[in-house]
Amino acid sequence: MLEFLNVDRPAFGLDISDLSVKVAQLKKKRGGFALSSFGEFQVPAGIIERGQIKQAKELADILKRVRTEVQGEKIQTPYVVASLPEEQAFLQVIQLPRMSRDELRSAVRFEAENYVPYSLDTMEMDFETVEPVVDHLNHVDVLLAALPKATVESYVGVFKAAGLNPLALEIESSAVTRALIQHETAPVPVLVVDLGATRTSFIVFAGYGLRFTASIAVSSSQFTQTIAQSLNIQLAEAEALKSQYGLDGKDAASGKKVFEALIPPLTDLVEQIKKHMSYYESHSGHEHLERPASIQKVILCGGGANLRGLAQFLLRELHKEVSIGNPWINILPTSLEELPPLSFAESLRYTTAFGLALRAIASHDQSSARNA
């Protein structure tokens, strides 16, 4: 949500997490877009911890490689639309009376003091209005985003040290929903569960915008560690068994052991999903939707969404519609004449990067249209 330049510059998406960097760049193609460049780069443990950069030089050295070592076309532009860590962010939907944009900016900062639990002088803030599906009220919904200035400055400093120029920085949840929610519209609230390597994010999207985000420590790597400890095996073997059996291998001896090992962390995940859904539904209004509704649909993404049988397990436990998200839904045309360069399973790990790449190409197109 933080924009640094509003100029006609081609850019690529750059998703940074504790253990990896993912890159994606799109180009226009008839009926949609094509993925022209993509890549994943491992980040050794300790360089980034819970979104905080601990070793800036080492991270900059990794980012120096991303434009030339990607798969597909080499990336020519140094401009990026990059993610900021969800763990360091504060997001809140607030309601304000209708007013001009300039008046709104002042009102948001004044109102933010009631929500942001830190001194505003130490925070970078931005906001966007959430357009209503049904516009019959005398107020506007505003999505407020705030991050510590020190965090933002540390990321900008690393980008510049790596020879990259940030056009915009945004919180991961914004990119995730841009990639997964078709046309970025949901008449009723949808819960996105982004199951990553080090944490899981819960993201509620309703109408035309984000409504709620939260993160928990349950993660895909925790599943692997649990299997390794339960079966007294090495992590590499545990990862292989997790991939082979998941929750579908109960008929095999090893598969049953994997299933039983996964039950405790999965039970924790289910309870956390229920708790966060309940919190959202009891604290948020839906006046701007076509009809009041609770969360009825859960969408899974992130590398952990590839766990075999996970969607079916959550369906039984939550009694909600559960599906694997489609990161290509806003990229590829409806009828495909060729397969994308990434498999569907691999693309789930690139959900955030795809959302950032969509922001990059949309900003470029809009700027080009204004300058035409």
Side-chain angles (χ1 to χ4, degrees), residues 123-138:
M123 306 295 285
E124 290 281 2
M125 291 199 312
D126 201 357
F127 73 94
E128 61 183 28
T129 56
V130 181
E131 295 299 321
V133 175
V134 178
D135 191 4
H136 62 272
L137 300 181
N138 61 355

mmCIF file with all atom_site columns, all heavy atoms in Angstrom, residues 123-138:
data_model
loop_
_atom_site.group_PDB
_atom_site.id
_atom_site.type_symbol
_atom_site.label_atom_id
_atom_site.label_alt_id
_atom_site.label_comp_id
_atom_site.label_asym_id
_atom_site.label_entity_id
_atom_site.label_seq_id
_atom_site.pdbx_PDB_ins_code
_atom_site.Cartn_x
_atom_site.Cartn_y
_atom_site.Cartn_z
_atom_site.occupancy
_atom_site.B_iso_or_equiv
_atom_site.pdbx_formal_charge
_atom_site.auth_seq_id
_atom_site.auth_comp_id
_atom_site.auth_asym_id
_atom_site.auth_atom_id
_atom_site.pdbx_PDB_model_num
ATOM 1   N N   . MET A 1 123 ? 5.550   4.986  13.147 1.00 0.00 ? 123 MET A N   1
ATOM 2   C CA  . MET A 1 123 ? 4.884   4.106  12.189 1.00 0.00 ? 123 MET A CA  1
ATOM 3   C C   . MET A 1 123 ? 4.766   4.754  10.814 1.00 0.00 ? 123 MET A C   1
ATOM 4   O O   . MET A 1 123 ? 4.555   5.967  10.692 1.00 0.00 ? 123 MET A O   1
ATOM 5   C CB  . MET A 1 123 ? 3.478   3.751  12.681 1.00 0.00 ? 123 MET A CB  1
ATOM 6   C CG  . MET A 1 123 ? 3.421   3.153  14.085 1.00 0.00 ? 123 MET A CG  1
ATOM 7   S SD  . MET A 1 123 ? 4.227   1.540  14.210 1.00 0.00 ? 123 MET A SD  1
ATOM 8   C CE  . MET A 1 123 ? 2.988   0.503  13.385 1.00 0.00 ? 123 MET A CE  1
ATOM 9   N N   . GLU A 1 124 ? 4.909   3.929  9.775  1.00 0.00 ? 124 GLU A N   1
ATOM 10  C CA  . GLU A 1 124 ? 4.524   4.317  8.427  1.00 0.00 ? 124 GLU A CA  1
ATOM 11  C C   . GLU A 1 124 ? 3.076   3.889  8.240  1.00 0.00 ? 124 GLU A C   1
ATOM 12  O O   . GLU A 1 124 ? 2.713   2.742  8.520  1.00 0.00 ? 124 GLU A O   1
ATOM 13  C CB  . GLU A 1 124 ? 5.394   3.619  7.378  1.00 0.00 ? 124 GLU A CB  1
ATOM 14  C CG  . GLU A 1 124 ? 6.826   4.089  7.315  1.00 0.00 ? 124 GLU A CG  1
ATOM 15  C CD  . GLU A 1 124 ? 6.982   5.398  6.570  1.00 0.00 ? 124 GLU A CD  1
ATOM 16  O OE1 . GLU A 1 124 ? 5.953   5.959  6.132  1.00 0.00 ? 124 GLU A OE1 1
ATOM 17  O OE2 . GLU A 1 124 ? 8.124   5.864  6.429  1.00 0.00 ? 124 GLU A OE2 1
ATOM 18  N N   . MET A 1 125 ? 2.228   4.808  7.769  1.00 0.00 ? 125 MET A N   1
ATOM 19  C CA  . MET A 1 125 ? 0.813   4.500  7.613  1.00 0.00 ? 125 MET A CA  1
ATOM 20  C C   . MET A 1 125 ? 0.348   4.795  6.202  1.00 0.00 ? 125 MET A C   1
ATOM 21  O O   . MET A 1 125 ? 0.834   5.704  5.537  1.00 0.00 ? 125 MET A O   1
ATOM 22  C CB  . MET A 1 125 ? -0.030  5.303  8.597  1.00 0.00 ? 125 MET A CB  1
ATOM 23  C CG  . MET A 1 125 ? 0.120   4.909  10.041 1.00 0.00 ? 125 MET A CG  1
ATOM 24  S SD  . MET A 1 125 ? -1.279  5.504  11.031 1.00 0.00 ? 125 MET A SD  1
ATOM 25  C CE  . MET A 1 125 ? -1.383  7.214  10.502 1.00 0.00 ? 125 MET A CE  1
ATOM 26  N N   . ASP A 1 126 ? -0.603  3.999  5.763  1.00 0.00 ? 126 ASP A N   1
ATOM 27  C CA  . ASP A 1 126 ? -1.268  4.254  4.500  1.00 0.00 ? 126 ASP A CA  1
ATOM 28  C C   . ASP A 1 126 ? -2.698  3.737  4.642  1.00 0.00 ? 126 ASP A C   1
ATOM 29  O O   . ASP A 1 126 ? -3.026  3.012  5.589  1.00 0.00 ? 126 ASP A O   1
ATOM 30  C CB  . ASP A 1 126 ? -0.545  3.554  3.348  1.00 0.00 ? 126 ASP A CB  1
ATOM 31  C CG  . ASP A 1 126 ? -0.881  4.178  1.998  1.00 0.00 ? 126 ASP A CG  1
ATOM 32  O OD1 . ASP A 1 126 ? -1.706  5.110  1.959  1.00 0.00 ? 126 ASP A OD1 1
ATOM 33  O OD2 . ASP A 1 126 ? -0.323  3.728  0.978  1.00 0.00 ? 126 ASP A OD2 1
ATOM 34  N N   . PHE A 1 127 ? -3.548  4.113  3.709  1.00 0.00 ? 127 PHE A N   1
ATOM 35  C CA  . PHE A 1 127 ? -4.924  3.654  3.764  1.00 0.00 ? 127 PHE A CA  1
ATOM 36  C C   . PHE A 1 127 ? -5.518  3.601  2.375  1.00 0.00 ? 127 PHE A C   1
ATOM 37  O O   . PHE A 1 127 ? -5.001  4.208  1.427  1.00 0.00 ? 127 PHE A O   1
ATOM 38  C CB  . PHE A 1 127 ? -5.773  4.580  4.655  1.00 0.00 ? 127 PHE A CB  1
ATOM 39  C CG  . PHE A 1 127 ? -6.075  5.914  4.018  1.00 0.00 ? 127 PHE A CG  1
ATOM 40  C CD1 . PHE A 1 127 ? -7.256  6.120  3.300  1.00 0.00 ? 127 PHE A CD1 1
ATOM 41  C CD2 . PHE A 1 127 ? -5.182  6.971  4.129  1.00 0.00 ? 127 PHE A CD2 1
ATOM 42  C CE1 . PHE A 1 127 ? -7.530  7.348  2.718  1.00 0.00 ? 127 PHE A CE1 1
ATOM 43  C CE2 . PHE A 1 127 ? -5.446  8.199  3.546  1.00 0.00 ? 127 PHE A CE2 1
ATOM 44  C CZ  . PHE A 1 127 ? -6.628  8.389  2.835  1.00 0.00 ? 127 PHE A CZ  1
ATOM 45  N N   . GLU A 1 128 ? -6.587  2.844  2.248  1.00 0.00 ? 128 GLU A N   1
ATOM 46  C CA  . GLU A 1 128 ? -7.358  2.829  1.012  1.00 0.00 ? 128 GLU A CA  1
ATOM 47  C C   . GLU A 1 128 ? -8.827  2.633  1.368  1.00 0.00 ? 128 GLU A C   1
ATOM 48  O O   . GLU A 1 128 ? -9.160  1.946  2.344  1.00 0.00 ? 128 GLU A O   1
ATOM 49  C CB  . GLU A 1 128 ? -6.891  1.726  0.068  1.00 0.00 ? 128 GLU A CB  1
ATOM 50  C CG  . GLU A 1 128 ? -7.014  0.324  0.607  1.00 0.00 ? 128 GLU A CG  1
ATOM 51  C CD  . GLU A 1 128 ? -6.470  -0.720 -0.347 1.00 0.00 ? 128 GLU A CD  1
ATOM 52  O OE1 . GLU A 1 128 ? -5.569  -0.392 -1.140 1.00 0.00 ? 128 GLU A OE1 1
ATOM 53  O OE2 . GLU A 1 128 ? -6.952  -1.868 -0.278 1.00 0.00 ? 128 GLU A OE2 1
ATOM 54  N N   . THR A 1 129 ? -9.689  3.269  0.612  1.00 0.00 ? 129 THR A N   1
ATOM 55  C CA  . THR A 1 129 ? -11.117 3.079  0.841  1.00 0.00 ? 129 THR A CA  1
ATOM 56  C C   . THR A 1 129 ? -11.540 1.743  0.253  1.00 0.00 ? 129 THR A C   1
ATOM 57  O O   . THR A 1 129 ? -11.035 1.326  -0.792 1.00 0.00 ? 129 THR A O   1
ATOM 58  C CB  . THR A 1 129 ? -11.942 4.204  0.200  1.00 0.00 ? 129 THR A CB  1
ATOM 59  O OG1 . THR A 1 129 ? -11.634 4.276  -1.200 1.00 0.00 ? 129 THR A OG1 1
ATOM 60  C CG2 . THR A 1 129 ? -11.622 5.541  0.854  1.00 0.00 ? 129 THR A CG2 1
ATOM 61  N N   . VAL A 1 130 ? -12.437 1.063  0.950  1.00 0.00 ? 130 VAL A N   1
ATOM 62  C CA  . VAL A 1 130 ? -12.962 -0.217 0.488  1.00 0.00 ? 130 VAL A CA  1
ATOM 63  C C   . VAL A 1 130 ? -14.319 0.064  -0.145 1.00 0.00 ? 130 VAL A C   1
ATOM 64  O O   . VAL A 1 130 ? -15.273 0.413  0.552  1.00 0.00 ? 130 VAL A O   1
ATOM 65  C CB  . VAL A 1 130 ? -13.102 -1.222 1.643  1.00 0.00 ? 130 VAL A CB  1
ATOM 66  C CG1 . VAL A 1 130 ? -13.634 -2.555 1.125  1.00 0.00 ? 130 VAL A CG1 1
ATOM 67  C CG2 . VAL A 1 130 ? -11.758 -1.416 2.342  1.00 0.00 ? 130 VAL A CG2 1
ATOM 68  N N   . GLU A 1 131 ? -14.375 -0.068 -1.460 1.00 0.00 ? 131 GLU A N   1
ATOM 69  C CA  . GLU A 1 131 ? -15.617 0.249  -2.163 1.00 0.00 ? 131 GLU A CA  1
ATOM 70  C C   . GLU A 1 131 ? -16.734 -0.699 -1.733 1.00 0.00 ? 131 GLU A C   1
ATOM 71  O O   . GLU A 1 131 ? -16.513 -1.901 -1.589 1.00 0.00 ? 131 GLU A O   1
ATOM 72  C CB  . GLU A 1 131 ? -15.412 0.164  -3.679 1.00 0.00 ? 131 GLU A CB  1
ATOM 73  C CG  . GLU A 1 131 ? -14.446 1.196  -4.222 1.00 0.00 ? 131 GLU A CG  1
ATOM 74  C CD  . GLU A 1 131 ? -14.909 2.610  -3.968 1.00 0.00 ? 131 GLU A CD  1
ATOM 75  O OE1 . GLU A 1 131 ? -16.127 2.858  -4.076 1.00 0.00 ? 131 GLU A OE1 1
ATOM 76  O OE2 . GLU A 1 131 ? -14.069 3.462  -3.628 1.00 0.00 ? 131 GLU A OE2 1
ATOM 77  N N   . PRO A 1 132 ? -17.940 -0.186 -1.529 1.00 0.00 ? 132 PRO A N   1
ATOM 78  C CA  . PRO A 1 132 ? -19.051 -1.042 -1.105 1.00 0.00 ? 132 PRO A CA  1
ATOM 79  C C   . PRO A 1 132 ? -19.663 -1.798 -2.268 1.00 0.00 ? 132 PRO A C   1
ATOM 80  O O   . PRO A 1 132 ? -19.677 -1.314 -3.402 1.00 0.00 ? 132 PRO A O   1
ATOM 81  C CB  . PRO A 1 132 ? -20.056 -0.044 -0.531 1.00 0.00 ? 132 PRO A CB  1
ATOM 82  C CG  . PRO A 1 132 ? -19.812 1.207  -1.314 1.00 0.00 ? 132 PRO A CG  1
ATOM 83  C CD  . PRO A 1 132 ? -18.323 1.233  -1.591 1.00 0.00 ? 132 PRO A CD  1
ATOM 84  N N   . VAL A 1 133 ? -20.166 -2.998 -2.004 1.00 0.00 ? 133 VAL A N   1
ATOM 85  C CA  . VAL A 1 133 ? -20.956 -3.732 -2.996 1.00 0.00 ? 133 VAL A CA  1
ATOM 86  C C   . VAL A 1 133 ? -22.344 -3.113 -3.086 1.00 0.00 ? 133 VAL A C   1
ATOM 87  O O   . VAL A 1 133 ? -22.899 -2.939 -4.160 1.00 0.00 ? 133 VAL A O   1
ATOM 88  C CB  . VAL A 1 133 ? -21.054 -5.229 -2.619 1.00 0.00 ? 133 VAL A CB  1
ATOM 89  C CG1 . VAL A 1 133 ? -21.985 -5.976 -3.574 1.00 0.00 ? 133 VAL A CG1 1
ATOM 90  C CG2 . VAL A 1 133 ? -19.670 -5.859 -2.625 1.00 0.00 ? 133 VAL A CG2 1
ATOM 91  N N   . VAL A 1 134 ? -22.908 -2.789 -1.931 1.00 0.00 ? 134 VAL A N   1
ATOM 92  C CA  . VAL A 1 134 ? -24.197 -2.091 -1.861 1.00 0.00 ? 134 VAL A CA  1
ATOM 93  C C   . VAL A 1 134 ? -23.950 -0.777 -1.144 1.00 0.00 ? 134 VAL A C   1
ATOM 94  O O   . VAL A 1 134 ? -23.551 -0.764 0.022  1.00 0.00 ? 134 VAL A O   1
ATOM 95  C CB  . VAL A 1 134 ? -25.247 -2.929 -1.104 1.00 0.00 ? 134 VAL A CB  1
ATOM 96  C CG1 . VAL A 1 134 ? -26.549 -2.159 -0.996 1.00 0.00 ? 134 VAL A CG1 1
ATOM 97  C CG2 . VAL A 1 134 ? -25.467 -4.252 -1.809 1.00 0.00 ? 134 VAL A CG2 1
ATOM 98  N N   . ASP A 1 135 ? -24.169 0.335  -1.842 1.00 0.00 ? 135 ASP A N   1
ATOM 99  C CA  . ASP A 1 135 ? -23.801 1.639  -1.310 1.00 0.00 ? 135 ASP A CA  1
ATOM 100 C C   . ASP A 1 135 ? -25.054 2.391  -0.868 1.00 0.00 ? 135 ASP A C   1
ATOM 101 O O   . ASP A 1 135 ? -25.635 3.160  -1.616 1.00 0.00 ? 135 ASP A O   1
ATOM 102 C CB  . ASP A 1 135 ? -23.047 2.435  -2.380 1.00 0.00 ? 135 ASP A CB  1
ATOM 103 C CG  . ASP A 1 135 ? -22.409 3.690  -1.808 1.00 0.00 ? 135 ASP A CG  1
ATOM 104 O OD1 . ASP A 1 135 ? -22.501 3.878  -0.588 1.00 0.00 ? 135 ASP A OD1 1
ATOM 105 O OD2 . ASP A 1 135 ? -21.847 4.462  -2.583 1.00 0.00 ? 135 ASP A OD2 1
ATOM 106 N N   . HIS A 1 136 ? -25.468 2.146  0.383  1.00 0.00 ? 136 HIS A N   1
ATOM 107 C CA  . HIS A 1 136 ? -26.676 2.819  0.857  1.00 0.00 ? 136 HIS A CA  1
ATOM 108 C C   . HIS A 1 136 ? -26.478 3.462  2.224  1.00 0.00 ? 136 HIS A C   1
ATOM 109 O O   . HIS A 1 136 ? -27.439 3.862  2.866  1.00 0.00 ? 136 HIS A O   1
ATOM 110 C CB  . HIS A 1 136 ? -27.836 1.816  0.926  1.00 0.00 ? 136 HIS A CB  1
ATOM 111 C CG  . HIS A 1 136 ? -27.600 0.694  1.888  1.00 0.00 ? 136 HIS A CG  1
ATOM 112 N ND1 . HIS A 1 136 ? -26.958 -0.463 1.530  1.00 0.00 ? 136 HIS A ND1 1
ATOM 113 C CD2 . HIS A 1 136 ? -27.897 0.566  3.212  1.00 0.00 ? 136 HIS A CD2 1
ATOM 114 C CE1 . HIS A 1 136 ? -26.893 -1.279 2.587  1.00 0.00 ? 136 HIS A CE1 1
ATOM 115 N NE2 . HIS A 1 136 ? -27.442 -0.675 3.611  1.00 0.00 ? 136 HIS A NE2 1
ATOM 116 N N   . LEU A 1 137 ? -25.222 3.561  2.676  1.00 0.00 ? 137 LEU A N   1
ATOM 117 C CA  . LEU A 1 137 ? -24.961 4.117  3.986  1.00 0.00 ? 137 LEU A CA  1
ATOM 118 C C   . LEU A 1 137 ? -24.244 5.459  3.867  1.00 0.00 ? 137 LEU A C   1
ATOM 119 O O   . LEU A 1 137 ? -23.742 5.836  2.795  1.00 0.00 ? 137 LEU A O   1
ATOM 120 C CB  . LEU A 1 137 ? -24.130 3.138  4.813  1.00 0.00 ? 137 LEU A CB  1
ATOM 121 C CG  . LEU A 1 137 ? -24.779 1.767  5.059  1.00 0.00 ? 137 LEU A CG  1
ATOM 122 C CD1 . LEU A 1 137 ? -23.867 0.905  5.909  1.00 0.00 ? 137 LEU A CD1 1
ATOM 123 C CD2 . LEU A 1 137 ? -26.132 1.927  5.742  1.00 0.00 ? 137 LEU A CD2 1
ATOM 124 N N   . ASN A 1 138 ? -24.182 6.178  4.974  1.00 0.00 ? 138 ASN A N   1
ATOM 125 C CA  . ASN A 1 138 ? -23.601 7.521  4.960  1.00 0.00 ? 138 ASN A CA  1
ATOM 126 C C   . ASN A 1 138 ? -22.159 7.530  5.435  1.00 0.00 ? 138 ASN A C   1
ATOM 127 O O   . ASN A 1 138 ? -21.648 8.554  5.873  1.00 0.00 ? 138 ASN A O   1
ATOM 128 C CB  . ASN A 1 138 ? -24.441 8.459  5.833  1.00 0.00 ? 138 ASN A CB  1
ATOM 129 C CG  . ASN A 1 138 ? -24.473 7.988  7.283  1.00 0.00 ? 138 ASN A CG  1
ATOM 130 O OD1 . ASN A 1 138 ? -23.942 6.923  7.602  1.00 0.00 ? 138 ASN A OD1 1
ATOM 131 N ND2 . ASN A 1 138 ? -25.109 8.778  8.141  1.00 0.00 ? 138 ASN A ND2 1
#
